[in-house]
Amino acid sequence: MERLIIGEVLKPQGIRGELKIKTYTDEPDDVKSFGQVYIEGKPYKILSFRVGGDGFAYLGLRGVPDRNAAELLRGKKLEGDREDAPELEEGRYYIADILGLSVETESGEVLGTVKDVAPLSSEVYTIEREGKEILFPAVKGVVKQVDLENGRIIVDKKRFDEVAVI
């Protein structure tokens, strides 16, 4: 079964094993649609969920009874089963679907392959070309089309050259 990375454990919260989570979903609430999450392949049932005023999610997980157990999960990625993931609206994609895509210009010039996606205020894609990393914001005007069927992202070459960081 395919899994998606849906967040990262930032730190323990309190003494009862609650975890502060940075979510990689459009909305922090999307995490609660996963009844179970995985950390390093181990399943954890979600016992409690809330979103704080700071925009971060707070999870209570079965098997994480106290702060000491929560501390061991600091910095770990949180995964969920893809089948439990909420449906995305048109034009939205899961990071897992973007990784590995070829980035090409409208004329077919291959610029590289997506190696990483940083979910910032606008996503920043890291592509690799000839052993070098290039970063660019995946914003309207730069990204023309995401073509999952053919495994590629079409970009506007002129805009790409203006914003790419080599």
Side-chain angles (χ1 to χ4, degrees):
M1 182 172 306
E2 187 181 2
R3 294 200 183 119
L4 301 170
I5 297 174
I6 58 174
E8 179 180 344
V9 178
L10 296 176
K11 66 180 191 126
Q13 180 69 30
I15 61 171
R16 293 195 173 114
E18 189 175 48
L19 302 169
K20 182 177 184 178
I21 307 292
K22 175 183 180 183
T23 63
Y24 295 162
T25 54
D26 284 345
E27 298 295 327
D29 278 337
D30 290 345
V31 170
K32 69 181 170 188
S33 68
F34 297 87
Q36 175 170 271
V37 295
Y38 300 84
I39 301 173
E40 295 187 323
K42 182 177 177 185
Y44 292 90
K45 181 173 174 32
I46 297 175
L47 298 176
S48 64
F49 176 89
R50 66 185 173 90
V51 177
D54 55 6
F56 292 101
Y58 295 85
L59 293 178
L61 302 175
R62 176 172 287 142
V64 185
D66 57 33
R67 186 174 186 88
N68 292 336
E71 185 62 49
L72 296 174
L73 302 177
R74 182 189 290 262
K76 308 275 189 222
K77 300 292 185 207
L78 199 68
E79 297 180 316
D81 288 326
R82 185 181 192 105
E83 69 183 25
D84 294 336
E87 281 294 313
L88 295 176
E89 58 188 64
E90 179 105 13
R92 303 292 299 171
Y93 306 94
Y94 284 107
I95 290 173
D97 295 332
I98 299 295
L99 296 174
L101 294 184
S102 173
V103 177
E104 304 174 12
T105 65
E106 294 167 295
S107 64
E109 177 189 355
V110 176
L111 301 174
T113 304
V114 179
K115 297 295 179 195
D116 191 29
V117 176
L120 306 171
S121 58
S122 63
E123 291 178 338
V124 175
Y125 292 1
T126 301
I127 62 174
E128 188 175 306
R129 177 174 58 190
E130 299 167 2
K132 293 183 180 162
E133 287 191 346
I134 302 168
L135 284 72
F136 72 97
V139 294
K140 194 173 185 172
V142 176
V143 175
K144 294 296 211 180
Q145 178 188 8
V146 175
D147 182 358
L148 294 180
E149 196 171 297
N150 294 306
R152 63 189 185 161
I153 297 171
I154 308 298
V155 297
D156 179 295
K157 174 76 166 134
K158 182 176 183 286
R159 290 286 294 134
F160 178 87
D161 287 343
E162 291 171 355
V163 300
V165 178
I166 299 173

